[in-house]
Amino acid sequence: MLLSDFQIIRPRYESTQEATLAWLVEAHVMAEKNESFRPIIEEKLWRVGCKPDRIQKRGHVLADFLHRNWDQMEIYRLDEATAGKDLSARAKIFQVEVDQIFEQYFPHGSLPPDDLIHVSCTGYVSPSGAQKIVSKRDWGHQTTVTHAYHMGCYASIPAIRMGMGFLHSEAMKTRVDIVHTEICSLHSNPSKHELDQLVSQSLFADGFMKYSMGRNSCQPHMQIIDIKEEIIPNSIQSMTWDVMGWGFQMTLTKEVPVFIARHLPGYLERL
């Protein structure tokens, strides 16, 4: 099994990490509606947030992060609600953006894949962008759509495992396309000042990628030697991704790298 034809679409906007952290400080102060809160949140964010020497720039589809005019924000209308607009408003933006991404990845005249896997943990809409493009291109008789949703940072591995299964299931299948669409910038909540929330707010960004899986490729490619996934015992509270009324909320604990370091050697032996 080979992975090839990697295509990346950059979000339309980019901000330096330093500018993003400064925006987050302003947003938290605005949500708190208390100017004396500024040195407190600034110290906490710069203590636990991801620093500019670790992330140079972050891409985002929202223009909200480029200004401080709260009454003109698309999502972060903190003058009206301390969390910004609710999940329904964020889902609509996700839908529009993802539909455009699939149009770019599969323009008119594209050859249909046998299977199309849509990977995301930042938005779920039915019909999905993958289902829409298959319908628009009249590929329904040939292309099967599968959703790999809410799997977070490791989602590419289950998606690749699915693709391997699809290619093995029928000898006539030759190509599986996998599309990742993540818009993490939709899911910040400036009214959440806890340390784990500041970590996640300072860490994630938006991005889109497409690649193909098949048995043969005349392009540069990576070969899949083997694949294995394991769930670490007694770790389920260390990383969460919950659907809330305002959006999706992540929990990250400091034990995550400890769990990984502790279990990695045994995992590698079994792999």
Side-chain angles (χ1 to χ4, degrees):
M1 295 294 171
L2 310 177
L3 300 179
S4 63
D5 193 24
F6 287 83
Q7 301 177 34
I8 294 173
I9 295 177
R10 296 287 300 174
R12 68 177 63 90
Y13 305 115
E14 281 191 343
S15 295
T16 65
Q17 181 70 343
E18 188 171 6
T20 301
L21 295 178
W23 186 93
L24 284 170
V25 169
E26 296 293 336
H28 280 263
V29 172
M30 183 67 184
E32 196 67 18
K33 293 180 168 55
N34 183 359
E35 184 61 31
S36 64
F37 184 63
R38 180 181 300 277
I40 298 173
I41 192 64
E42 195 167 42
E43 186 276 331
K44 290 173 67 176
L45 184 61
W46 280 93
R47 175 159 52 91
V48 303
C50 194
K51 307 299 188 296
D53 63 336
R54 300 294 182 179
I55 296 177
Q56 185 179 33
K57 293 181 179 180
R58 286 203 278 173
H60 48 94
V61 303
L62 292 174
D64 289 10
F65 303 102
L66 302 176
H67 62 89
R68 309 289 194 273
N69 302 318
W70 306 106
D71 60 339
Q72 299 176 21
M73 296 285 178
E74 198 168 3
I75 290 296
Y76 297 103
R77 291 292 301 268
L78 305 180
D79 55 327
E80 297 178 353
T82 58
K85 292 189 176 181
D86 63 16
L87 181 56
S88 63
R90 301 176 197 230
K92 288 178 182 176
I93 292 176
F94 180 89
Q95 181 177 20
V96 170
E97 295 291 336
V98 169
D99 286 354
Q100 293 175 356
I101 291 297
F102 274 95
E103 289 282 354
Q104 292 181 62
Y105 277 141
F106 300 99
H108 287 284
S110 300
L111 295 176
D114 297 299
D115 283 273
L116 176 57
I117 302 174
H118 181 204
V119 182
S120 185
C121 71
T122 51
Y124 322 119
V125 180
S126 183
S128 68
Q131 291 169 322
K132 289 178 183 176
I133 201 67
V134 168
S135 177
K136 290 177 182 177
R137 302 293 183 257
D138 193 22
W139 292 346
H141 64 288
Q142 181 174 343
T143 303
T144 302
V145 174
T146 303
H147 298 142
Y149 288 174
H150 217 81
M151 292 181 174
C153 303
Y154 80 106
S156 62
I157 307 303
I160 290 171
R161 172 167 50 80
M162 292 176 192
M164 292 173 68
F166 297 156
L167 288 169
H168 280 305
S169 67
E170 296 182 31
M172 296 298 293
K173 290 189 174 185
T174 60
R175 185 179 125 218
V176 174
D177 283 353
I178 302 174
V179 177
H180 294 256
T181 62
E182 300 295 4
I183 310 182
C184 299
S185 64
L186 289 173
H187 299 296
S188 285
N189 184 344
S191 69
K192 298 287 185 181
H193 312 310
E194 296 83 0
L195 294 182
D196 67 307
Q197 297 304 299
L198 298 180
V199 170
S200 61
Q201 291 173 23
S202 71
L203 191 58
F204 299 100
D206 304 344
F208 312 98
M209 180 168 63
K210 170 185 175 290
Y211 49 97
S212 297
M213 175 185 291
R215 297 179 184 86
N216 301 289
S217 178
C218 57
Q219 302 182 54
H221 58 265
M222 295 190 293
Q223 182 180 358
I224 302 170
I225 304 300
D226 206 344
I227 191 165
K228 182 176 179 59
E229 303 162 51
E230 292 185 5
I231 294 176
I232 297 174
N234 303 313
S235 65
I236 58 174
Q237 299 302 321
S238 298
M239 185 183 295
T240 66
W241 187 235
D242 296 321
V243 179
M244 314 295 283
W246 56 266
F248 297 171
Q249 179 173 314
M250 170 170 275
T251 298
L252 281 173
T253 68
K254 61 184 179 181
E255 289 78 21
V256 170
V258 177
F259 275 124
I260 294 173
R262 185 179 300 159
H263 289 270
L264 190 58
Y267 165 80
L268 290 175
E269 289 180 4
R270 291 183 289 276
L271 174 63

